[in-house]
């Protein structure tokens, strides 16, 4: 099969992923068209004008005759015997914008596309099921992937060409003006070869190798993952890669657990170094707070300026747990600032949170965030300006090279230097930050993607609930409760949950990640508030997963339910990328639920997930950090049962003693059934409980002595 595939792909010029930041483009000088521009008088709109997705709406005035994904497009392709050009992206994707300006807004390219293809636009955040399948295709055919994702396929959805960003003209990689006529020619004269290749590619998607008998997971798997991370760790700047450099919160959360269970100080050191480096780097927005998506350099200085809701959630969890582990106020402050940004910018007034902010404003990536020395000097008085130059490393030359971005000469990305931190003045810094914040707020803001996604909101609910408990901040739990209520009230109908909500409309049936991430949030909410309703809801969602997503023959969860639209194949994913996989999170949820409700059947289901994916995990444990987090819990779970009335100070003292501690393998239950109980706590391990203790410190001593894994 591989030989046939490679022979056919050689007909094309393979489009391989490169560091797109180094690709220059005349189109980047054009002004960004935000969704608001769709109302401009005189615009001619295509079918996408009727969609809700902000990404699709951005393309509603393209001369390309776009269709949304649906039967109308495929029927037309079959009727006219045309291949389908599938373009997948999202509204805050910088290189999606570049390709749109260069090609999709260009009459010459659009004419060719309309002549040769039926063209379909998909928002990958709205339809992760479609994106998941065709991204696999791209990675299989080219060895890499990314967005915009470009697929050419037959009318029956079978792909035969894949790539990412494609320029208008060829230069080192094939451009649209050459690619489209070439595909037209091949479609006409080598149609049988195209169909054969498409069939082979599609067949290979369904192949999955697993043999649980060959790959038993145990504590050695955790050690192997730790050793791989230690080898990849950057001693100078933290993190686990060079560039691009992603925060990878799951790696940090796993390392914290490994440190706690083994007392290996190196694991904690790697976490501390990475979190500190990110916090002072340009990947963090020091003026308006929140983290950008990733760094394009090894030093965390030059970010890709998008801000994603899921990054804020996962990093808030990371800094929360690091605060519990170390007591460093820097981490607590970072959590508070992340939430400040989320509440101020991403919060929907009805409840729930928007998806993301763009990297670009006025057609230029990062323009909203960077400063020249003269701009700083115009806002601040001389003394404050001089201090800001010091703490932010501001120079006349700047630190943000042009690289085709058309930034003002001498632009700087604000970051904190190690030298400046030695004499850091919090009060003085905050006054300067406020002045720069007010000045920056008068700039043109990046585009806001205001759709609400069930899975990402589930992650934010988990982050808020965990922080509420750890930081002893009840208002965060209230926000998490509002998020859950919004999803239950606005994104559910007749028992069916929906993945996306925008402008009063829930749409797209919920997928595995939606149920898994919200269940995670509900479990955290129960342990933060001890309200039984959240545990009941977590069980309800878990039962839905077992009924509609579980593979009864082999095990594991499909991304889509058994009654969802059939695309090419139902996929099962365990890989933990920028967003953790639904199978990893669900295994963790089930292992925790087993402890919380004392029902071993949930543990067995979690174990089945682990067995099904064990061969993959054993071969490359570093790719499954979120799974490792759950598996660490499953190796030696512990449970504390608090007895007493939380209205009484004596009972609250037990809870307060737990709040400031990092106890990742612990679940906490509250027994208020009998108000006459003496206040106390039981520690349970392996279904065996210790005698009750009536002193919070004795409870902590018991937990500490039980901590190290045998």
């Amino acid at each position: 099969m591989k030989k046939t595939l490679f022979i056919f792909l050689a007909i094309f010029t393979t489009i391989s992923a490169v560091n797109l930041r180094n690709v220059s483009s005349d189109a980047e000088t054009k002004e960004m068209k935000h969704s608001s521009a769709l109302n401009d008088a005189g615009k001619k709109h295509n079918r996408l004008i009727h969609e809700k997705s902000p990404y699709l709406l951005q393309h509603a005035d393209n001369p390309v005759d776009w269709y949304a994904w649906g039967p109308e497009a495929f029927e037309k392709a079959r009727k006219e015997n045309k291949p389908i050009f599938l373009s997948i992206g999202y509204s805050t994707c910088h290189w999606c914008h570049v390709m749109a300006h260069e090609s999709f807004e260009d009459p010459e390219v659009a004419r060719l596309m309309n002549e040769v293809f039926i063209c379909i636009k998909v928002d990958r955040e709205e339809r992760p099921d479609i994106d998941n399948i065709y991204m696999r295709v791209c990675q299989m055919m080219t060895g890499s992937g990314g967005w915009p994702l470009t697929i050419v396929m037959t009318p029956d959805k079978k792909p035969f060409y894949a790539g990412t960003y494609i320029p208008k003209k060829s230069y080192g990689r094939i451009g649209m003006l050459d690619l489209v006529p070439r595909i037209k020619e091949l479609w006409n004269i080598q149609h049988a070869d195209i169909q054969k290749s498409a069939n082979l590619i599609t067949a290979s998607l369904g192949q999955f190798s697993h043999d649980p008998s060959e790959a038993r997971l145990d504590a050695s798997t955790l050690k192997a993952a730790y050793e791989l991370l230690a080898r990849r760790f950057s001693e100078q700047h933290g993190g686990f890669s060079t560039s691009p450099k992603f925060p990878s919160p799951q790696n940090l959360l796993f390392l914290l657990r490994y440190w706690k269970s083994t007392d290996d100080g190196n694991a904690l050191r790697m976490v501390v170094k990475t979190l500190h480096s990110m916090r002072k780097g340009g990947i963090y927005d020091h003026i308006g707070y929140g983290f950008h998506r990733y760094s394009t350099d090894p030093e965390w200085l030059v970010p890709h300026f998008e801000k994603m809701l899921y990054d804020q959630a996962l990093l808030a969890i990371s800094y929360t747990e690091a605060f519990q582990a170390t007591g460093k106020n820097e981490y607590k402050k970072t959590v508070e600032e992340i939430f400040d940004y989320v509440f101020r910018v991403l919060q929907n007034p009805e409840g729930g949170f928007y998806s993301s902010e763009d990297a670009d404003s006025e057609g230029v990536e990062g323009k909203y965030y960077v400063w020249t020395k003269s701009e700083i000097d115009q806002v601040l008085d001389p003394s404050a300006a001089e201090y800001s130059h010091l703490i932010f490393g501001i120079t006349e030359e700047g630190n943000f090279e042009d690289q085709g971005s058309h930034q003002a000469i001498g632009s700087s990305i604000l970051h904190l230097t190690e030298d400046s931190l030695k004499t850091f003045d919090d009060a003085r810094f905050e006054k300067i930050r406020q002045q720069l914040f007010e000045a920056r707020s008068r700039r043109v803001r990046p585009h806001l993607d205001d759709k609400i996604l069930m899975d990402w909101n589930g992650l934010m609910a988990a982050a808020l609930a965990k922080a509420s408990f750890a930081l002893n901040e009840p208002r965060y739990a209230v926000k998490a409760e509002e998020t859950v209520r919004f999803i239950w009230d606005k994104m559910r109908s007749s028992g069916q949950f929906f993945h996306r909500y925008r402008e009063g409309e829930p749409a797209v049936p919920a997928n595995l990640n939606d149920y898994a991430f919200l269940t995670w949030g509900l479990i955290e909410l129960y342990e933060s508030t001890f309200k039984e309703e959240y545990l009941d809801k977590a069980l309800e969602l878990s039962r839905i997963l077992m009924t509609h997503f579980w593979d009864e023959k082999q095990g594991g969860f499909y991304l889509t339910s058994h009654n969802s639209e059939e695309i090419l194949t139902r996929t099962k994913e365990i890989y933990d990328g920028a967003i953790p996989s639904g199978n990893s999170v669900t295994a963790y949820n089930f292992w925790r639920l087993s402890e919380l409700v004392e029902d071993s059947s949930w543990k067995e289901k979690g174990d089945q997930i682990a067995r099904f994916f064990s061969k993959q995990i054993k071969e490359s444990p570093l790719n499954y950090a979120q799974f490792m987090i759950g598996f660490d819990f499953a190796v030696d779970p512990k449970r504390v049962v608090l007895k007493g009335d939380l209205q009484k100070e004596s009972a609250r003292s037990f809870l307060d003693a737990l709040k400031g501690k990092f106890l990742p393998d612990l679940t906490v239950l509250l027994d208020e059934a009998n108000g006459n109980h003496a206040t106390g706590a039981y520690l349970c391990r392996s279904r065996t409980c210790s005698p009750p203790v009536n002193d919070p410190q004795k409870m902590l001593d018991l937990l500490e002595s039980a901590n190290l894994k045998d």
Side-chain angles (χ1 to χ4, degrees), residues 442-474:
R442 294 189 285 272
R443 297 177 177 178
V444 176
R445 282 199 71 89
H447 160 73
L448 174 70
D449 187 321
D450 62 354
K451 67 178 179 291
I452 296 173
L453 300 176
M454 179 174 167
D455 51 351
W456 298 6
N457 273 259
L459 289 177
M460 184 51 68
L464 288 163
K466 180 178 281 289
S468 176
F469 184 83
L471 277 55
N472 197 22
E473 182 52 79

Side-chain angles (χ1 to χ4, degrees), residues 58 163 225 624:
Q58 285 176 345
Y624 312 104

